[in-house]
Amino acid sequence: MSTILQPPPPHIEQKINYLNVDYGWRSWLFTTDHKRIALLYLFSITAFFFVGGAFAVAMRINLLFPEGLVDNDTYNKLFTMHGIVMVFFFLVPSIPATLGNFLIPLMIGSRDLAFPRINLLSWYIYIVGGIFTMTAVLQGGVDTGWTFYAPFSTTYSNTHVILAAVGVFISGFSSILTGLNFIVTIHTMRCPGMTWSRLPLFVWGHYATSIIQVLGTPVIAITLVLLGLERILHTGIFDPKLGGDPILFQHLFWFYSHPAVYIMILPGMAVISELVSCYSRKSVFGYGFVAFSSLGIAVLSFVVWGHHLFVAGQSMYASMVFSFMSMAVAVPSAIKVFNWTATMFRGSISWETPMLYAFGFIGLFTIGGLTGLFLATMAIDVHVTDTYFVIAHFHYVMVGGMVMAYMGGLHFWFPKITGRLYPEGWAKFAALIIFVGFNLTFFPQFLLGYLGMPRRYATYPDEFHALNVLSTAGASILGVGYLIPMIYLTWAWRKGPLSPQNPWKAKGLEWEQAPTPPPTFNFDDPPIVTEPAYNYSAIPEEVHRG
């Protein structure tokens, strides 16, 4: 056997980019570069994701046994802190603050966001809010549930309600400022040729999300202020003994918190549009319908909150209206699912890791969306309210949907962000583990809820034991599935092979015009757009994969 000595690879001198332009800590903590701020968010929300995940692990271990392992008060704190951390400090900012921050200026051909300093300020506000909430955790936690329902939160709870509420209140300003920045940027900083009809659907999705952030978030801020006034000064806003109405709190809370579901899922849908088009090598079927369905979801999301109050004493006629409107908001969501499927039809589909996450998103989000229609139907909702059916539905939308999209987007744009490639085999393995672990965790909860097991209980009858064991086993697999990408993406960032400018042969300014990784001001030459979005028919046939 002979050995052929390969010549050493030529030394590749990396160009100056946003990562290597300066390594000092001041250059990160005082940066106004939207890409570096996106990474600050990425590291922050990843930390909160694992904190919130730790509370979930503790809950599932407790539910491994019918009699439980912790007392009721401790369990109340576990699910409360899991919900608060995951919703307000991971799900809401996850895609907009990281991928949105990094990509929107690149996608529209801009040098930065409209207000770079406000962008940095929003990250600091988010961190301050997180510190308040973590302080509440370290001092003993909160036991009100992430919904802070009155009168328990305003009168009876002995835990650190004010501290946690202040943390959520502060972080809301971060969300408002990010949404405002995106709206102004998209309106005023598009490059020549980037008309509204040529905007990537990722940008359309974030535009719709930003509208909800700007209009809806102040309502939860006001609600939390009223909660604080009631708890500290006993003003009687929610206390019936003083002339108040506890149902008013639920109306105010859900007026924001149901649209907040779309703050979380619309950016995920935006990511999926990019992935499906790229890995099908086709333009998105019904581009206009998909773009305007994002706006339709944003508008309708403000008139469906009452379906959370079917059993709260709300008027039957009001419930009928909210039931109908909740059915209506499913239409634009269904348009997206149909158009993604039609895009893949007869496409040249390839099976890279981001596309696996896209397939996972479409399947799991569809299950979550359809079960949402069950909950919008009054007769069924009365049966499954406050059961594990609601928990399973919510997690199929938020984790099966949004987190799948987040993982898909993170893998898709990882080469652009870091200039490196990740190990494809490990990435596909992790995607499979996450899909299996997720379904094993949450599908049994549909059955538990249908059988009548209430949520937020530390113990349960023996007949629910087997399904809870399955769910806890799935959570263990899911946790491993999330740890694997942490390990190989961290390794790839340092040691992975260098990425070419456009490893997926994708369309879009961020891939075709911006270097990988991009320089501080994104483009070497100002871009000019001359073709519609997703014009994959312009790519020569030899680069198509299948």
Side-chain angles (χ1 to χ4, degrees):
M1 185 177 71
S2 61
T3 301
I4 301 175
L5 295 177
Q6 297 290 336
H11 176 67
I12 300 175
E13 185 175 348
Q14 276 195 292
K15 294 176 62 176
I16 297 298
N17 57 61
Y18 81 101
L19 287 172
N20 61 18
V21 66
D22 194 337
Y23 293 102
W25 63 271
R26 289 177 180 273
S27 70
W28 282 92
L29 293 183
F30 297 104
T31 184
T32 53
D33 184 342
H34 65 100
K35 300 179 291 296
R36 286 193 165 204
I37 295 170
L39 293 188
L40 292 175
Y41 269 115
L42 176 65
F43 301 139
S44 308
I45 69 163
T46 301
F48 281 114
F49 175 76
F50 281 99
V51 171
F55 288 121
V57 169
M59 289 162 54
R60 287 310 325 169
I61 292 174
N62 177 75
L63 294 174
L64 197 54
F65 308 99
E67 65 278 11
L69 295 173
V70 299
D71 59 64
N72 294 338
D73 290 340
T74 302
Y75 188 77
N76 291 346
K77 293 175 182 176
L78 288 177
F79 69 69
T80 299
M81 297 313 303
H82 167 70
I84 290 175
V85 172
M86 281 299 198
V87 170
F88 296 108
F89 294 94
F90 173 70
L91 289 170
V92 167
S94 56
I95 293 180
T98 57
L99 297 177
N101 232 329
F102 193 97
L103 291 165
I104 285 178
L106 285 162
M107 285 185 165
I108 65 172
S110 168
R111 290 160 58 95
D112 206 322
L113 288 172
F115 307 115
R117 290 184 176 85
I118 289 179
N119 194 23
L120 178 63
L121 175 64
S122 69
W123 177 72
Y124 276 106
I125 291 173
Y126 168 79
I127 292 298
V128 171
I131 290 172
F132 270 91
T133 304
M134 287 299 101
T135 304
V137 172
L138 295 175
Q139 293 197 354
V142 192
D143 64 352
T144 61
W146 74 276
T147 50
F148 293 104
Y149 270 7
F152 183 65
S153 63
T154 53
T155 306
Y156 301 107
S157 175
N158 294 318
T159 55
H160 299 278
V161 177
I162 293 295
L163 206 51
V166 168
V168 174
F169 175 81
I170 292 173
S171 71
F173 287 94
S174 170
S175 185
I176 293 170
L177 292 178
T178 298
L180 184 66
N181 220 339
F182 285 174
I183 291 173
V184 176
T185 301
I186 295 168
H187 270 274
T188 63
M189 299 184 71
R190 287 174 283 122
C191 69
M194 181 59 81
T195 62
W196 285 93
S197 61
R198 290 175 174 171
L199 276 179
L201 291 169
F202 182 90
V203 179
W204 273 107
H206 278 77
Y207 183 74
T209 304
S210 301
I211 292 172
I212 304 175
Q213 286 177 301
V214 171
L215 297 181
T217 309
V219 178
I220 190 68
I222 293 168
T223 308
L224 293 172
V225 169
L226 295 177
L227 182 153
L229 292 175
E230 180 84 356
R231 186 174 174 88
I232 297 171
L233 303 176
H234 309 293
T235 49
I237 300 167
F238 306 120
D239 187 349
K241 288 189 298 187
L242 300 175
D245 182 0
I247 304 302
L248 173 63
F249 180 90
Q250 296 189 33
H251 279 289
L252 291 171
F253 180 85
W254 288 112
F255 183 82
Y256 162 78
S257 294
H258 198 84
V261 168
Y262 299 101
I263 292 177
M264 302 177 221
I265 197 64
L266 270 172
M269 293 172 164
V271 169
I272 297 305
S273 295
E274 302 295 323
L275 302 186
V276 167
S277 177
C278 174
Y279 294 109
S280 300
R281 319 309 295 172
K282 285 176 64 182
S283 61
V284 174
F285 180 84
Y287 167 92
F289 285 97
V290 178
F292 281 95
S293 67
S294 297
L295 298 179
I297 290 172
V299 172
L300 290 172
S301 70
F302 283 105
V303 291
V304 299
W305 82 90
H307 72 237
H308 293 273
L309 284 77
F310 284 164
V311 297
Q314 179 179 249
S315 152
M316 184 185 68
Y317 298 106
S319 294
M320 290 172 64
V321 172
F322 282 119
S323 177
F324 175 79
M325 297 309 297
S326 301
M327 298 285 181
V329 79
V331 174
S333 300
I335 288 174
K336 287 180 180 292
V337 173
F338 174 80
N339 285 28
W340 293 327
T341 309
T343 302
M344 289 187 281
F345 180 64
R346 293 185 176 175
S348 182
I349 295 174
S350 56
W351 298 87
E352 277 88 353
T353 303
M355 191 59 170
L356 298 184
Y357 282 111
F359 278 119
F361 173 96
I362 293 172
L364 300 178
F365 172 76
T366 301
I367 295 173
L370 289 175
T371 51
L373 293 180
F374 296 177
L375 295 170
T377 308
M378 286 186 286
I380 298 177
D381 184 76
V382 169
H383 176 67
V384 297
T385 286
D386 286 339
T387 70
Y388 266 84
F389 191 93
V390 179
I391 300 294
H393 153 71
F394 184 75
H395 284 80
Y396 262 80
V397 174
M398 290 295 100
V399 182
M402 191 302 237
V403 179
M404 279 279 178
Y406 177 67
M407 295 297 291
L410 203 59
H411 284 80
F412 183 59
W413 284 290
F414 184 83
K416 178 58 63 178
I417 294 170
T418 66
R420 304 275 178 173
L421 297 173
Y422 55 80
E424 186 69 22
W426 276 107
K428 289 181 176 176
F429 175 70
L432 178 65
I433 292 293
I434 290 173
F435 184 81
V436 172
F438 171 82
N439 282 289
L440 190 58
T441 304
F442 293 105
F443 194 81
Q445 295 182 12
F446 277 128
L447 304 178
L448 287 168
Y450 179 76
L451 294 172
M453 179 173 169
R455 61 178 178 172
R456 299 182 171 180
Y457 276 59
T459 59
Y460 53 86
D462 289 342
E463 57 261 38
F464 298 140
H465 190 198
L467 289 171
N468 272 292
V469 169
L470 280 177
S471 188
T472 300
S476 305
I477 296 171
L478 187 60
V480 172
Y482 286 135
L483 281 176
I484 294 173
M486 271 291 294
I487 296 170
Y488 68 71
L489 289 179
T490 303
W491 172 86
W493 197 318
R494 300 286 300 173
K495 303 291 185 181
L498 293 176
S499 168
Q501 176 174 327
N502 189 357
W504 316 121
K505 306 299 180 191
K507 299 296 292 184
L509 292 180
E510 83 275 23
W511 291 113
E512 296 178 301
Q513 299 290 326
T516 297
T520 298
F521 294 111
N522 295 342
F523 301 96
D524 294 330
D525 300 305
I528 299 175
V529 178
T530 58
E531 61 179 16
Y534 314 111
N535 189 21
Y536 281 98
S537 59
I539 296 181
E541 187 65 26
E542 58 269 21
V543 302
H544 286 204
R545 294 159 293 172

